Each structure stands twice: as C-alpha cells, then as structure tokens.
Amino acid sequence: MTKQRERIHRKKQQRTQSRWMMAAGLAFLVIAVLWLVFSNRDSENSGALPVSRLTTNDFHSLAFSPTEPETVFFGHHKGLLVSHNGGKDWQPTVLNNADVMVLGIAPSNSQTMYVAGHNVFIKSNDGGNTWQGVHANLPGLDIHAFAVDPENADKVVAYVVSFGLFGSEDGGINWESLSVSSPPSVNGLVFGEDDQTLYAAADGAGLWQSQDGGRSWSPIPTVPNNGAIAVAYVPANGRLYLTTLEPAAGLHYSDDGGETWTSTSLRETILAVAISPLDSKHIMAVNDQGEVFASRDGGISWLDE
C-alpha cells in the first residue's frame, strides 16, 4: 500500500508540474506577443514621443498663432484651448461651451479668427479675446470644414453638411454657393499655392483638389495608404501635408502638388495637424488618443524637447 501511495503521489506531482509548465508557457507567449506589438509600434514611430496629452472627449482642430512662435490653439466640441509653450501645457480660453470643430486663422491678420462646427459660426476680431456670432446667409450652420486665404483674412471657404461648398469675400457675412458636387464628407479644407487652389480631405473618399476656387473638384489618385483626415499647406515652401486612415495611418507630405508622397516617421491616426507660419519645419499633430506630437525638423523626428 505504501508503494502504491507513493506512485499516486508522484503522478499528482507530475500533473501539477505539467499544469504549471503549461501556465508558464502561456504567460510567456502572451508577454512575447505584447512585446512584439508594442516594439513594432515603437519602431514604426521611430521613437516619437508626445509632448502632452489632451484630456478632452474629442480632438478636432489645431492652429498656430501667426505672431507668437510657441502659441498654438486646439479646438474640441466644448471649447478652445491654448498653449504658450509649444503644446506642453494647455489652458482654457474665454471661448467655452462652443463647438470648435474647425478653426481658421489667416497669417496675414492674426487678430481675425474663425470658429465653426455643429450649428456654430463665430468670429473674433481681437485675437480671440472676444467672440461674436456672424449673421451669415448660409443655408445651414453644420460646418465640418473651413479654410481662410493666407493672404486675405476676409476670403473664406466652408463645407456645409448637406449643402456643399460656399465661399465668402467679406469675412463670412455673404456667401456664394461654389459647388454642390464637392467631395463627400469633407472634414478638412486648405488653400494651396494661390487663392484658386484648394485641397479637401474627405475621409474614405481620399484627397481632392480644385483649381478654380472650389467650383469643380477632382480626386488625387496617388494618396498614400487609405483615406484622408487632415490636410495642411505650407506657402513658404509649397509642401502639402496629409494624414491618412488605418490600416497604415500616418502623416505624409508632397512637394509636387500630390503627385508623389513621402511618409514622415509619425505613424499614428492623426486627427489634426498644423504647421507654424513662422517656421515651416515646426509641425504639431494630435492623434485619436489626444496625444500631442511636435517636430522641429519638418517631420523627420518627433522628440521635441
């Protein structure tokens, strides 16, 4: 009986050891998979580190001050934030409880600022200290995209949901219908190399271009990866920036009007991007997690100190 009990005891020990070995192997496998996932993301981002993280519920618009190099504005559905140290720290502005889905500032006039969103169209003529509603003759105020001519703060273009594109030459009071056949679901607009060239980011429909002030549009077929979220243009060097959707999301740029593209080292789902009008190499971007990234070398590195 004693030998039999010993054999039973040894078998129990062997089963227990086998279970522990299986559990340890499974844990090791999970750790290895997680390591591969995160190390792959790190390698894709080439060490990109955020300078801060926004705690708002959504992330929409981003714009540099035309006069203060380290001042940048961020808009979300419940207001406007400002940073005076390159995105490291953020403070609320006087504009609270307003939908800042889109934000427009003309480098030619730092005092004029536009804000638009869901049933919102307001304007500041004193650099954001005070805001007033604009009595515009638009057919609706669900504005998802907005652009200001860099050379003329009174010339603006807006995409109104269900109604198409409209243009104004008097600061947003009187509007003219430009195109009812504009690209669908426009969420980003920017003026290009002149006041007749416009680029529109249209989510899954990609990037579109107009060369007649927004009256007719054509898609740019060479857009990298998938879709188009945010678009920005740099008048100083003619560079066009674009952020794309998953599965290969990231920030890209083109120096030939969208014919060819180069990917930056920032491989994130970027919802907003801005380039400083005072320094064409100073870029800021916000991803879908609210992480704020900054580059001082045109997007080569994202380790802003």
Side-chain angles (χ1 to χ4, degrees):
M1 293 295 292
T2 301
K3 291 182 178 180
Q4 185 176 3
R5 283 199 295 269
E6 289 178 353
R7 286 195 295 271
I8 293 172
H9 180 68
R10 283 197 297 270
K11 288 181 179 179
K12 287 183 178 179
Q13 284 183 323
Q14 290 172 353
R15 286 197 295 268
T16 301
Q17 291 174 351
S18 176
R19 292 192 188 101
W20 276 106
M21 290 179 66
M22 290 177 63
L26 182 60
F28 175 80
L29 179 61
V30 170
I31 292 171
V33 170
L34 289 173
W35 181 86
L36 285 172
V37 169
F38 286 104
S39 64
N40 183 59
R41 177 179 175 180
D42 289 341
S43 64
E44 285 181 346
N45 277 326
S46 301
L49 295 174
V51 297
S52 65
R53 183 165 186 167
L54 296 159
T55 57
T56 54
N57 292 328
D58 53 88
F59 319 102
H60 277 291
S61 53
L62 200 62
F64 274 95
S65 164
T67 57
E68 301 174 20
E70 298 303 311
T71 296
V72 61
F73 297 93
F74 164 75
H76 60 112
H77 283 317
K78 292 186 178 181
L80 181 68
L81 303 181
V82 65
S83 172
H84 296 292
N85 59 0
K88 295 180 177 65
D89 300 290
W90 296 87
Q91 298 84 37
T93 67
V94 297
L95 191 57
N96 291 313
N97 299 318
D99 186 5
V100 191
M101 189 172 182
V102 291
L103 176 63
I105 308 175
S108 59
N109 185 350
S110 62
Q111 296 300 296
T112 301
M113 300 175 66
Y114 297 90
V115 158
H118 300 301
N119 298 314
V120 172
F121 182 41
I122 56 179
K123 182 179 179 180
S124 174
N125 293 312
D126 55 12
N129 292 316
T130 61
W131 295 84
Q132 303 82 34
V134 181
H135 299 290
N137 64 337
L138 288 169
L141 287 180
D142 191 8
I143 301 171
H144 283 198
F146 192 89
V148 186
D149 183 345
E151 301 297 328
N152 181 1
D154 287 332
K155 183 169 184 173
V156 293
V157 177
Y159 174 77
V160 184
V161 175
S162 301
F163 296 101
L165 277 165
F166 291 80
S168 171
E169 302 275 353
D170 60 5
I173 298 173
N174 296 293
W175 294 83
E176 174 193 5
S177 176
L178 297 177
S179 174
V180 294
S181 60
S182 56
S185 302
V186 176
N187 54 271
L189 272 173
V190 68
F191 278 90
E193 47 268 35
D194 53 51
D195 65 356
Q196 292 300 299
T197 303
L198 287 161
Y199 296 95
D203 289 322
L207 181 66
W208 293 57
Q209 182 186 45
S210 172
Q211 295 180 318
D212 56 7
R215 298 184 184 281
S216 62
W217 292 83
S218 58
I220 296 177
T222 56
V223 170
N225 302 323
N226 181 37
I229 310 174
V231 60
Y233 183 83
V234 186
N237 56 20
R239 178 166 288 183
L240 181 67
Y241 285 90
L242 179 71
T243 70
T244 51
L245 298 162
E246 293 289 0
L251 175 66
H252 318 271
Y253 65 86
S254 173
D255 290 324
D256 53 17
E259 291 186 15
T260 59
W261 295 87
T262 300
S263 298
T264 72
S265 58
L266 189 60
R267 307 295 174 83
E268 299 277 345
T269 300
I270 300 299
L271 301 184
V273 62
I275 294 88
S276 171
L278 300 174
D279 180 1
S280 61
K281 292 186 177 182
H282 190 186
I283 309 171
M284 292 195 66
V286 179
N287 71 5
D288 58 348
Q289 302 300 311
E291 293 177 321
V292 180
F293 295 89
S295 174
R296 303 277 179 164
D297 54 14
I300 297 173
S301 62
W302 299 86
L303 299 171
D304 188 50
E305 297 296 334

